[in-house]
C-alpha cells in the first residue's frame, strides 16, 4: 500500500495552532475546565494526531505488519479509524457543545457511518452486533454475527461473512478505500471547525472596533501623575489626580478582561496580567493613604511605581490595540 498524504493530520495541527494563538477561544474552553471540556479538547487533539501516526505507519508498512500478525493489524487499523472519528466528534463537542456533535447517520456523514459499521460488525462486536435499540432480534435480521476469512487478509483488505437469521452477506473491506474516505471526510469536518473558530474570533474582535485602550490612558487631561506628589504638601489637585487615573485604570482593566477573559482564567496575556496585578496593588496602597498617616518616602516610592507601571501598561495596551484592529 502506498503511503498517503494525511490531510487530517495537517489540518488538526492547524486547529491546535489556531486555538493556541486565539484571542478568546482558548480561554473559553479553559473556563469550562470543571465540566471537562478543557481536558477533552486537548486529549481529542492528541488522539487525532496519534491515530494519524498509526494510520500512516499502517499505509507505509502494511505488508510487513500483516505478515507478522494479520489479525492484530486488522483489529488495530479498524479500531484506529473508529477512535479517530470519536476524537473529532468529542473535539467539536468540547468546542461548541453537545448539540454540535457529529450525527453519524445523516447524509453528510454516511461514509463515516459505514466505516463505523464495518468496525462494529467485524471486530467491534463480531459475535453479536445489534442495531440501536433494545428490540433488536436475531430472527428479524437485526442481529448479526461475523466471520473474517483468514485466507483473504492482505495489504489490500479482507473479506468477511455476515450471518443473519434469513440470509448471509459476503462482504469485503478495501483498506486503501476506507482510509482515503475517512481522511477526506474528517479533514472536511476539521475545516468546518477551523472556520467556526475563525468566525468566533472575528465576531469577538469586531465588538471592540474603534475602541483603543491606549487612548483611555493617554487622553489629555488637567490631571497629571506628577500632581499626585503634591499630596505631601496638601495640594488640592493631588487626590483628584490620583482618583482620575484610578478610574481610567479601572476602565482599562475592565476593557482587557472583556477582550481576553477574566484575569486568572485568561491564557493569552501573562505579561499584561502581571503588570495589572502590580498596578492593582499600587493603586490600593496609595488609595489606603486617604485613611492613615503615611511616611513621605514610602508615599513617593508608590507614586514612582505607579508612574512606571502605567508607562509599562501603555506598551501592553499598544500591542492589544494592534491585535484588535479590524
Amino acid at each position: 500500500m502506498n503511503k498517503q498524504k494525511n490531510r487530517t493530520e495537517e489540518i488538526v495541527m492547524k486547529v491546535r495552532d489556531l486555538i493556541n494563538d486565539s484571542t478568546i477561544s482558548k480561554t473559553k474552553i479553559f473556563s469550562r475546565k470543571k465540566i471537562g471540556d478543557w481536558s477533552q479538547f486537548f486529549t481529542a487533539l492528541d488522539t487525532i494526531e496519534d491515530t494519524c501516526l498509526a494510520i500512516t505507519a499502517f499505509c507505509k508498512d502494511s505488508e510487513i505488519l500483516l505478515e507478522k500478525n494479520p489479525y492484530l493489524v486488522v483489529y488495530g487499523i479498524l479500531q484506529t479509524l473508529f477512535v479517530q472519528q470519536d476524537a473529532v466528534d468529542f473535539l467539536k463537542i468540547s468546542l461548541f457543545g453537545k448539540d454540535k456533535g457529529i450525527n453519524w447517520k445523516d447524509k453528510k456523514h454516511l461514509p463515516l457511518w459505514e466505516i463505523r459499521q464495518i468496525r462494529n460488525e467485524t471486530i467491534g462486536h463480531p459475535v453479536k452486533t445489534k442495531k440501536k435499540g433494545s428490540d433488536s432480534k436475531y430472527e428479524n435480521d437485526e442481529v448479526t454475527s461475523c466471520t473474517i476469512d483468514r485466507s483473504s487478509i492482505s495489504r489490500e483488505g479482507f473479506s468477511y461473512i455476515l450471518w443473519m437469521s434469513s440470509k448471509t452477506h459476503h462482504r469485503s473491506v478495501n483498506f486503501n478505500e476506507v482510509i482515503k474516505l475517512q481522511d477526506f471526510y474528517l479533514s472536511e469536518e476539521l475545516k468546518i471547525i477551523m472556520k467556526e473558530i475563525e468566525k468566533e474570533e472575528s465576531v469577538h474582535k469586531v465588538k471592540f472596533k474603534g475602541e483603543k485602550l491606549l487612548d483611555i490612558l493617554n487622553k489629555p487631561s488637567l490631571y497629571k501623575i506628577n500632581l499626585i506628589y503634591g499630596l505631601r504638601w496638601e495640594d488640592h489637585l493631588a487626590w483628584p489626580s490620583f482618583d482620575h487615573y484610578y478610574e481610567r485604570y479601572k476602565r482599562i482593566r475592565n476593557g482587557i478582561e472583556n477582550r481576553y477573559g477574566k484575569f486568572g482564567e485568561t491564557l493569552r496575556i501573562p505579561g499584561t496580567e502581571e503588570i495589572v496585578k502590580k498596578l492593582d496593588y499600587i493603586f490600593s496602597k496609595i488609595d489606603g493613604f486617604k485613611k492613615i498617616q503615611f511616611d513621605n518616602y514610602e508615599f513617593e516610592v508608590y507614586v514612582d511605581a505607579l508612574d512606571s507601571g502605567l508607562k509599562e501598561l501603555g506598551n501592553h495596551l499598544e500591542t492589544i490595540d494592534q491585535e484588535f484592529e479590524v
Side-chain angles (χ1 to χ4, degrees):
M1 183 180 297
N2 294 328
K3 184 178 179 181
Q4 300 176 25
K5 183 179 178 182
N6 197 315
R7 288 175 292 183
T8 300
E9 183 177 19
E10 180 183 330
I11 298 171
V12 77
M13 290 173 69
K14 291 181 180 179
V15 172
R16 186 187 291 276
D17 290 342
L18 186 60
I19 285 292
N20 284 332
D21 294 337
S22 68
T23 299
I24 196 65
S25 298
K26 188 175 182 180
T27 296
K28 286 177 68 176
I29 305 169
F30 185 75
S31 70
R32 302 193 298 272
K33 185 177 181 180
K34 288 185 178 180
I35 63 173
D37 283 355
W38 176 252
S39 55
Q40 180 173 304
F41 174 76
F42 281 100
T43 302
L45 282 179
D46 290 343
T47 300
I48 296 166
E49 291 177 353
D50 292 346
T51 50
C52 284
L53 292 175
I55 293 167
T56 299
F58 172 81
C59 293
K60 181 181 178 183
D61 299 318
S62 58
E63 189 166 8
I64 297 171
L65 294 169
L66 285 163
E67 284 177 3
K68 292 181 178 180
N69 198 323
Y71 269 95
L72 185 60
V73 176
V74 169
Y75 275 63
I77 188 61
L78 291 179
Q79 183 63 15
T80 297
L81 294 171
F82 191 90
V83 169
Q84 188 177 72
Q85 289 188 19
D86 280 352
V88 174
D89 185 31
F90 285 123
L91 185 71
K92 290 192 70 174
I93 291 170
S94 64
L95 278 167
F96 311 123
K98 289 183 178 180
D99 60 331
K100 299 299 183 181
I102 297 173
N103 179 1
W104 301 110
K105 291 187 178 181
D106 66 19
K107 187 177 180 180
K108 177 183 174 183
H109 299 109
L110 190 58
L112 292 174
W113 169 250
E114 290 172 349
I115 293 171
R116 295 177 74 82
Q117 282 300 94
I118 290 171
R119 174 267 184 188
N120 286 338
E121 63 193 20
T122 58
I123 64 101
H125 312 281
V127 177
K128 186 176 184 179
T129 302
K130 299 172 66 176
K131 287 190 176 180
K132 287 281 186 179
S134 57
D135 294 333
S136 294
K137 295 179 181 179
Y138 182 72
E139 53 265 34
N140 294 336
D141 288 338
E142 293 168 347
V143 173
T144 63
S145 299
C146 174
T147 303
I148 292 176
D149 181 357
R150 184 180 302 182
S151 66
S152 72
I153 299 174
S154 70
R155 63 179 181 175
E156 279 76 32
F158 64 92
S159 300
Y160 63 97
I161 302 172
L162 206 60
W163 308 92
M164 287 168 278
S165 175
S166 64
K167 56 186 176 294
T168 59
H169 281 304
H170 292 264
R171 296 180 178 175
S172 61
V173 177
N174 183 291
F175 291 136
N176 190 58
E177 184 179 306
V178 295
I179 289 171
K180 276 187 175 180
L181 276 173
Q182 174 136 323
D183 187 41
F184 174 79
Y185 283 97
L186 287 189
S187 62
E188 290 299 305
E189 203 67 35
L190 289 168
K191 287 178 185 177
I192 292 171
I193 289 173
M194 282 189 66
K195 287 179 181 177
E196 286 298 315
I197 296 171
E198 289 167 346
K199 179 182 176 181
E200 181 179 63
E201 290 288 305
S202 177
V203 168
H204 177 69
K205 288 183 179 181
V206 165
K207 290 191 296 186
F208 306 98
K209 184 177 180 180
E211 296 180 18
K212 293 190 177 295
L213 295 175
L214 188 58
D215 287 348
I216 300 174
L217 184 63
N218 291 338
K219 186 177 181 180
S221 170
L222 168 70
Y223 301 107
K224 307 294 180 184
I225 287 288
N226 61 353
L227 292 176
I228 302 174
Y229 289 102
L231 190 60
R232 291 180 56 185
W233 51 85
E234 299 183 354
D235 189 297
H236 71 285
L237 289 176
W239 278 123
S241 293
F242 170 79
D243 292 337
H244 170 76
Y245 276 95
Y246 202 1
E247 288 305 312
R248 283 193 178 188
Y249 170 69
K250 289 175 183 177
R251 284 180 60 197
I252 292 168
R253 192 186 192 284
N254 186 58
I256 295 172
E257 285 197 315
N258 287 339
R259 284 160 174 77
Y260 293 100
K262 296 291 183 181
F263 292 116
E265 294 180 359
T266 179
L267 302 173
R268 271 281 284 108
I269 49 168
T272 304
E273 186 169 2
E274 195 58 37
I275 186 60
V276 165
K277 288 179 181 177
K278 187 188 297 184
L279 285 167
D280 282 349
Y281 178 78
I282 294 168
F283 272 112
S284 67
K285 292 296 290 188
I286 297 176
D287 195 45
F289 291 146
K290 291 178 178 178
K291 300 178 182 178
I292 61 172
Q293 293 291 325
F294 55 84
D295 177 85
N296 286 339
Y297 288 113
E298 181 185 8
F299 173 73
E300 285 192 10
V301 166
Y302 281 115
V303 179
D304 288 346
L306 178 61
D307 189 22
S308 174
L310 288 175
K311 288 176 180 175
E312 184 179 348
L313 177 64
N315 294 331
H316 288 264
L317 298 182
E318 185 176 5
T319 302
I320 290 171
D321 288 340
Q322 288 173 356
E323 183 174 353
F324 278 82
E325 286 180 354
V326 179

